[in-house]
Amino acid sequence: MYGSRLVLVALPALIFSAHSPSYGGEVAGKITVTVAKTSADVVVYLEPKGDTVPVTPPDTAVFLNQLGKEFIPHVLPVVRGTTVAFFNNDDFLHNIHGYRQTKTVFNVAMPYVGMKWKKKFDEAGKVTLLCDVHPEMSAYIIVLNTPYFAKTGKDGAFVIPHVPAGEYVLQTWHEKGKSKTLTITISESDTTAVNLQLGD
Amino acid sequence: MKRICSALVGIGFVSLLWADDGHAIPSFARKYETSCQTCHIAIPKRNAFGEAFRRNGYVMPKGDEQLVKEEPVSLGAEAWKELWPNAIWPGLLPAHFPLAAYVHQRVTYEPRKPAGQKVGFDMPHEVELLFGTSFGNELGFFGEWIAYEGGTNAVGLQRFFFQFNDVVGPRDAINVKVGRIEPGITSGYMSANRLTLDRPITIDYRATGDWRPRDNQAGVELNGILGSNFEYAAGVVNGEGKTTPFKDRKDVFARVAFKAGGLGLDGKGAEAELKQADNWRDDAVTIGVYAYTGHFAKSKTSTTQVIDTAGSGGDPTKFKIKSVSTTSKWDHDFDRFGFDLRAGYDRFELTGGLIAGTDENPFGDKKELKHTALFGEIDWLAYPWLVPAFRVNRARSELKDDERDKYWEFHPNLTILYRANIRMTIEGVFRVDDDRTIGGKTVEPTEKRAFRKLRVNTMFAF
């Protein structure tokens, strides 16, 4: 019963995604990371060449958990102005020590399970999160000035849909792989393929 | 004789029959979940990829990230690097203590021994513990401990060193090896990088009975690869080997080598994934030249008997005989120069080399010893599990006008891989001593029988 409902709900979405986007073009491809175990967690984002694009942060906070001595997700791309809600889901002490480069921007103790703390990120750039109690834990919040972004899966695949036609600068960010930048032209209703390799 | 040889071969095969599949494999194989053949033609002889792995400080040439299967323990997230020097640089700890073992079972036939004592069961001949791994891409270590050895060689710690990779500059350009090392002059054919039971004479020859190139010594070595084809190593070692860590005059060495064709010295050209097929092949020529200069603070104690007349009152019947020891000390400098060659084509590999040297005053009589040792070896990979090899050694040394060593050695060898981690070796040793000139006279060799030894050895790695 639930299965057939799921099919009915999912089917239009599949048909929709199998066709060209309803407006704008899309950028799709694969980023292969040679210096990490998988090609996951590459942030790919587009900014209009020589221009800026307005960003609208989501109405609700996005979540970042501390669970099993890991930050989940490990990489969280958000648009400028987004509020991130942090949760400690472990039954022991963590903290969230946020850095911009080497400068501490916040350091919050998360001493008990279920503890929640919110923070709005208004400035673009990378925020590194560490837990001083468990040095093996880390995460990155990538605050972007553009709504056109995606994060790769383990196989490196990504799709950025609904991008208005025009000339864009595509950039990548990865924890270990060197960033790459290239200029691409996106046509209305077309898919622009981008395949890159990130090494050291 | 024929019956004895047949018996030895038979015993060797019987020793293989009880050996089932290796249930455990050495530490690198476990870490990467790959066969010995990824890095070895036949353990312990490495293929070109294995050599690149060794040069890279026991880190895969393209980095370990995608190839390590045993997830290491993080000693700090990657992000801590950004905070250095206000944080500890992050590292990795291997998932398990990286320990492996080699065990040799050996049967030896020596025709020159007295009747009734010609066949020796040397089982185990050697039990050796090996440990090695890397802590991320920047640091690797390797150690070798002989726990038991039936022969006369030293038992105990042989090697133990750390290699810091890519210390400064481009990748692979500058690495630093610290610890108890085999000096890099043997990098062309290191002690453990061989099919045969005996080593090539150029790394094994003790011209004066003490120092030899392959001896492990405490020291520091700078090594690296430039442009995939050029390799260098230079270092300072304690000299005199094991007993005198506090010694102001250290030995120094250097080697440079160039490789044309085949897999790059840094592993460039190999796919990131591990290949299993034909990775024994490396159509390439590598030539190296090296030099070593060293010093010994030598001493010799001689005992003479003298007549002690004290208290005798001149009465000869009351004279006593007493022993008097005198110790003479002298400095002894020596140097070595040599080259090494490795050329592979299809299933054949030719290795060779020469080492020449001068020992200024090895015996305290101010007589200079000049010597040359050279070898040539051909290996043929008939099948990946069957590799015949043949080596010729030549040694000559002359102490002023007296010839000391002057002989040829021949080592026919057959290597059979029963499994990737179980190797059987059948090896003969033949030696022909030449007439020597001593004190202006020609002296014939005391031993004229060429056949010296036949050994059947089974090596297990796990």
Side-chain angles (χ1 to χ4, degrees):
Chain A
M1 180 63 187
Y2 289 113
S4 59
R5 262 194 206 168
L6 186 67
V7 171
L8 285 172
V9 171
L11 201 57
L14 284 172
I15 293 165
F16 178 80
S17 64
H19 284 72
S20 299
S22 57
Y23 63 90
E26 74 176 19
V27 182
K30 199 169 179 178
I31 312 290
T32 305
V33 181
T34 60
V35 289
K37 195 121 190 147
T38 73
S39 295
D41 289 334
V42 181
V43 178
V44 188
Y45 57 101
L46 302 166
E47 288 177 343
K49 194 170 182 188
D51 201 358
T52 56
V53 59
V55 290
T56 311
D59 296 334
T60 54
V62 295
F63 297 106
L64 203 148
N65 289 302
Q66 291 175 304
L67 176 63
K69 287 199 280 183
E70 279 184 67
F71 284 104
I72 299 170
H74 181 59
V75 174
L76 179 64
V78 296
V79 296
R80 189 166 35 82
T82 299
T83 298
V84 177
F86 297 90
F87 283 92
N88 180 3
N89 289 300
D90 281 331
D91 195 11
F92 43 79
L93 170 69
H94 286 302
N95 71 327
I96 307 164
H97 199 154
Y99 293 90
R100 281 189 185 269
Q101 296 181 325
T102 57
K103 192 180 167 191
T104 294
V105 286
F106 55 87
N107 187 0
V108 182
M110 303 287 278
Y112 52 85
V113 65
M115 183 171 173
K116 184 175 155 190
W117 178 72
K118 284 185 182 178
K119 163 82 180 162
K120 191 176 177 189
F121 291 86
D122 284 322
E123 191 187 335
K126 180 183 76 176
V127 179
T128 303
L129 305 179
L130 291 165
C131 172
D132 298 297
V133 187
H134 305 104
E136 66 273 24
M137 293 173 67
S138 70
Y140 301 92
I141 296 174
I142 309 299
V143 186
L144 299 165
N145 271 325
T146 172
Y148 309 123
F149 66 86
K151 188 174 79 167
T152 58
K154 278 186 179 176
D155 61 352
F158 74 94
V159 179
I160 307 175
H162 311 314
V163 184
E167 206 174 15
Y168 289 83
V169 176
L170 181 146
Q171 293 179 77
T172 65
W173 176 91
H174 182 262
E175 180 179 10
K176 284 184 172 177
K178 262 189 185 167
S179 293
K180 284 204 172 163
T181 300
L182 72 156
T183 302
I184 58 170
T185 302
I186 295 170
S187 315
E188 191 73 24
S189 304
D190 271 353
T191 297
T192 305
V194 172
N195 295 302
L196 294 171
Q197 186 169 303
L198 305 185
D200 54 6
Chain B
M1 174 62 210
K2 195 176 171 185
R3 278 167 54 192
I4 291 167
C5 290
S6 304
L8 289 174
V9 173
I11 288 162
F13 276 109
V14 167
S15 72
L16 290 177
L17 291 177
W18 56 261
D20 202 350
D21 284 345
H23 293 292
I25 46 175
S27 53
F28 293 130
R30 275 189 282 270
K31 178 178 173 182
Y32 298 104
E33 286 183 12
T34 188
S35 169
C36 314
Q37 302 314 102
T38 300
C39 288
H40 295 274
I41 290 168
I43 50 167
K45 183 184 165 91
R46 290 180 287 272
N47 58 24
F49 187 85
E51 276 291 89
F53 178 70
R54 173 188 68 80
R55 287 190 185 94
N56 204 33
Y58 307 101
V59 174
M60 286 292 182
K62 287 197 169 183
D64 270 357
E65 290 89 351
Q66 296 181 327
L67 299 169
V68 171
K69 298 292 193 294
E70 277 187 335
E71 207 59 57
V73 177
S74 168
L75 300 180
E78 189 76 8
W80 288 101
K81 287 181 182 175
E82 296 170 14
L83 302 177
W84 194 89
N86 295 318
I88 297 169
W89 194 265
L92 296 170
L93 201 63
H96 301 102
F97 185 74
L99 183 67
Y102 285 172
V103 178
H104 293 262
Q105 312 279 27
R106 186 171 292 183
V107 180
T108 305
Y109 171 69
E110 289 194 46
R112 294 190 307 152
K113 288 207 176 252
Q117 298 173 28
K118 294 180 190 292
V119 178
F121 273 16
D122 194 9
M123 301 185 202
H125 168 71
E126 185 178 287
V127 179
E128 187 179 7
L129 301 177
L130 299 148
F131 22 99
T133 190
S134 59
F135 306 103
N137 290 339
E138 295 90 13
L139 177 61
F141 83 92
F142 192 90
E144 182 186 2
W145 179 283
I146 294 182
Y148 175 84
E149 183 160 358
T152 55
N153 292 339
V155 174
L157 188 66
Q158 307 298 302
R159 283 184 288 168
F160 195 101
F161 59 83
F162 290 89
Q163 178 160 310
F164 297 86
N165 299 324
D166 313 330
V167 179
V168 285
R171 189 165 183 170
D172 300 321
I174 300 177
N175 310 309
V176 180
K177 197 186 269 190
V178 184
R180 191 168 171 75
I181 61 173
E182 183 175 337
I185 57 168
T186 66
S187 191
Y189 24 75
M190 297 192 81
S191 181
N193 192 17
R194 66 188 199 279
L195 290 172
T196 53
L197 300 176
D198 288 325
R199 295 161 178 86
I201 195 167
T202 51
I203 66 167
D204 211 30
Y205 184 52
R206 294 180 192 270
T208 60
D210 39 41
W211 183 90
R212 62 183 166 183
R214 74 174 177 89
D215 277 343
N216 299 302
Q217 300 187 54
V220 181
E221 178 185 294
L222 213 65
N223 62 55
I225 297 161
L226 304 172
S228 295
N229 300 102
F230 180 79
E231 177 189 22
Y232 75 89
V236 182
V237 287
N238 201 53
E240 295 188 34
K242 299 125 193 169
T243 54
T244 51
F246 291 94
K247 176 174 176 278
D248 294 341
R249 279 191 67 181
K250 307 292 186 191
D251 294 3
V252 294
F253 64 87
R255 175 180 178 269
V256 291
F258 184 80
K259 182 175 184 180
L263 192 76
L265 292 164
D266 54 358
K268 203 171 183 182
E271 296 299 322
E273 74 269 18
L274 306 178
K275 287 184 173 178
Q276 295 296 314
D278 286 6
N279 65 346
W280 36 262
R281 182 171 177 171
D282 190 42
D283 296 351
V285 178
T286 309
I287 295 174
V289 292
Y290 57 85
Y292 185 106
T293 178
H295 168 262
F296 272 89
K298 288 212 165 199
S299 65
K300 187 164 64 178
T301 302
S302 54
T303 305
T304 51
Q305 293 189 323
V306 295
I307 297 169
D308 184 4
T309 57
S312 65
D315 180 0
T317 59
K318 292 181 180 175
F319 289 175
K320 292 174 187 167
I321 294 175
K322 71 172 184 182
S323 297
V324 177
S325 294
T326 50
T327 301
S328 53
K329 293 183 178 179
W330 72 98
D331 284 325
H332 165 53
D333 293 316
F334 67 97
D335 54 56
R336 300 285 186 275
F337 300 95
F339 81 89
D340 53 76
L341 166 80
R342 184 181 291 273
Y345 180 72
D346 201 353
R347 290 171 179 267
F348 291 92
E349 187 178 69
L350 175 73
T351 47
L354 179 146
I355 187 165
T358 305
D359 284 64
E360 184 198 53
N361 185 18
F363 308 114
D365 52 7
K366 297 189 177 169
K367 286 184 178 175
E368 192 177 73
L369 183 76
K370 292 194 174 218
H371 44 87
T372 309
L374 58 95
F375 86 99
E377 178 183 325
I378 183 91
D379 304 348
W380 173 47
L381 194 127
Y383 293 95
W385 57 272
L386 184 71
V387 193
F390 188 77
R391 181 191 297 141
V392 178
N393 286 331
R394 170 68 167 165
R396 282 195 74 161
S397 69
E398 201 169 339
L399 190 67
K400 212 169 179 186
D401 298 323
D402 295 339
E403 287 179 319
R404 281 167 58 88
D405 291 331
K406 197 176 179 186
Y407 61 84
W408 294 90
E409 273 183 348
F410 305 93
H411 293 257
N413 168 286
L414 184 67
T415 294
I416 302 163
L417 282 180
Y418 176 71
R419 296 287 186 271
N421 66 325
I422 303 170
R423 190 195 73 175
M424 183 185 173
T425 304
I426 304 167
E427 185 169 317
V429 178
F430 297 83
R431 174 167 156 157
V432 177
D433 288 279
D434 295 341
D435 291 350
R436 294 177 299 161
T437 304
I438 299 172
K441 292 178 183 174
T442 302
V443 178
E444 288 189 356
T446 51
E447 179 58 67
K448 294 195 175 178
R449 282 174 293 183
F451 181 28
R452 301 293 170 94
K453 220 180 269 186
L454 177 68
R455 284 168 292 179
V456 179
N457 188 87
T458 308
M459 174 186 179
F460 301 84
F462 54 91

